[in-house]
Amino acid sequence: MKIYRTLEEINNIPETAVALGSFDGVHLGHQELIKRTSELAKSLGIATAVFTFSNHPRDLIPGNDKVKNILYREDKERIMEELGVEYLFDVPFTEEIMHMPPEDYVRELLIKKLNAKALACGFNHRFGHRAEGNPELLKKLGDELGFEAYVMDPYMVGDTLVSSTLIRGLIAEGEVAGCCEYMGRYYAISGEVVVGNRLGKSLGFPTSNLIIDESMVSPPNGVYITYCTYNGVRYPSITNVGVKPTVGAFEKNVETHIFDFDRELYGKQIMVEFLLKMREEVKFDSLDELKAQIVRDCEAAKEYHFGQK
């Protein structure tokens, strides 16, 4: 997959069918749109492409909080490549793009720059100045300019419309079990293992600690059943997200105990997938109470993990 990160470097592109959208979670709806675009590309004998932005368009609106990411950039790129995307245009959303009239956005940016012969989007896609461009305009311009325009219907799971907003809300509320239903994979965070306060080890439950990435939406404090992947191997695990209130005041972090694992991981890269929230983080009256609860949590998590085999 060829990746372009600026408009300036996009030149001499072959004819493309381009999927349009934020693709910030590459959830099941996004995946379906890419699959439909790939089918369209194959029928026309052209390349499959995605046009998206490396920052969220809402981040340019004054006074708005930054939109938290659901997916790391490298994971987004890997999933898109697996879906058959040949060209990924992942460029910054700028003031210039924000103020482009919708017709110019399509003519100058998508048709001329990306050499698009087909454009595909979701039912609620918006583009151009004041987000005045919509699927109806895309179809109208397709008739005028001679490109294929495909608009995908809402993607539903049961009675629920799949969206990045929905998924962000589930993660922020700790409802991580629902994420897999709408993303086709577990919500996950990655990073380098850092040195913690070693409390877990002293209690007999050594942990691998990750610092919270503030650019990512993160689950609320609590104890979660998880998987931890290290060096390509996925291990059953249990994870505490929080501030360890029983032993003092600490920054929020992610602390994972991997079952039946005795290797030192400081400085190594790991990925933690969140399967299910077990309980809230609690301040205990003593370390003995905390240790007893950890034992109960581990027993329940092991039953969940190994009962599925």
Side-chain angles (χ1 to χ4, degrees):
M1 182 174 70
K2 177 68 174 175
I3 301 173
Y4 295 86
R5 303 203 189 281
T6 67
L7 288 177
E8 290 71 26
E9 64 184 289
I10 301 174
N11 291 296
N12 302 316
I13 303 299
E15 293 182 342
T16 57
V18 184
L20 308 173
S22 65
F23 300 99
D24 45 353
V26 198
H27 55 57
L28 292 178
H30 292 148
Q31 292 172 41
E32 183 64 20
L33 179 60
I34 291 173
K35 290 174 185 176
R36 299 285 183 90
T37 305
S38 180
E39 292 169 0
L40 183 58
K42 287 175 183 175
S43 72
L44 296 172
I46 57 181
T48 302
V50 167
F51 180 72
T52 189
F53 297 114
S54 54
N55 55 319
H56 202 287
R58 290 208 299 270
D59 289 348
L60 262 67
I61 300 174
N64 269 22
D65 291 334
K66 285 223 168 194
V67 177
K68 299 281 188 178
N69 296 324
I70 299 171
L71 194 61
Y72 296 99
R73 186 175 72 181
E74 56 269 25
D75 292 329
K76 176 193 289 190
E77 293 168 358
R78 173 183 53 79
I79 294 168
M80 287 187 174
E81 188 166 24
E82 289 171 354
L83 289 168
V85 176
E86 298 166 88
Y87 292 87
L88 171 59
F89 307 105
D90 188 23
V91 303
F93 185 75
T94 62
E95 292 279 351
E96 180 182 0
I97 292 175
M98 183 168 66
H99 291 104
M100 288 182 76
E103 295 81 2
D104 290 351
Y105 181 93
V106 173
R107 287 191 179 92
E108 304 301 322
L109 193 53
L110 303 181
I111 304 304
K112 290 184 180 180
K113 193 73 171 173
L114 307 187
N115 200 13
K117 302 302 177 185
L119 295 171
C121 69
F123 74 102
N124 58 353
H125 184 65
R126 296 292 183 271
F127 57 90
H129 186 53
R130 297 184 183 277
E132 291 172 348
N134 55 34
E136 290 70 30
L137 177 60
L138 199 67
K139 288 182 176 180
K140 178 175 177 290
L141 291 172
D143 292 337
E144 293 176 4
L145 302 176
F147 63 83
E148 295 273 350
Y150 170 78
V151 178
M152 194 177 85
D153 291 334
Y155 189 91
M156 312 291 289
V157 172
D159 295 328
T160 302
L161 172 65
V162 178
S163 72
S164 297
T165 300
L166 167 70
I167 294 165
R168 281 192 187 89
L170 290 173
I171 297 166
E173 294 165 8
E175 299 291 336
V176 294
C179 292
C180 194
E181 186 176 7
Y182 304 117
M183 294 198 298
R185 61 186 181 279
Y186 297 115
Y187 175 71
I189 61 173
S190 302
E192 180 181 312
V193 177
V194 299
V195 177
N197 63 357
R198 300 183 183 271
L199 174 65
K201 187 173 184 179
S202 70
L203 295 175
F205 301 92
T207 59
S208 299
N209 293 267
L210 295 178
I211 296 173
I212 294 288
D213 185 340
E214 293 299 333
S215 70
M216 300 287 289
V217 58
S218 62
N221 295 358
V223 178
Y224 296 82
I225 295 172
T226 55
Y227 283 121
C228 182
T229 298
Y230 165 66
N231 201 25
V233 180
R234 195 192 208 194
Y235 300 92
S237 58
I238 185 171
T239 297
N240 184 81
V241 177
V243 296
K244 300 185 276 289
T246 302
V247 294
F250 295 90
E251 293 291 325
K252 181 176 178 178
N253 77 342
V254 176
E255 193 173 9
T256 297
H257 173 66
I258 306 171
F259 297 121
D260 303 318
F261 186 88
D262 59 1
R263 296 185 61 180
E264 181 62 76
L265 294 182
Y266 292 127
K268 306 297 185 182
Q269 291 287 325
I270 64 172
M271 177 178 72
V272 179
E273 299 171 272
F274 289 81
L275 282 63
L276 179 70
K277 185 176 182 181
M278 299 175 66
R279 64 172 177 84
E280 301 292 330
E281 186 178 45
V282 176
K283 182 177 181 179
F284 295 93
D285 293 331
S286 69
L287 288 180
D288 286 341
E289 286 188 22
L290 172 60
K291 183 174 181 178
Q293 183 60 57
I294 292 174
V295 170
R296 290 192 291 271
D297 291 339
C298 286
E299 288 174 350
K302 283 183 176 181
E303 183 178 349
Y304 182 94
H305 278 300
F306 302 114
Q308 290 183 326
K309 288 187 175 181

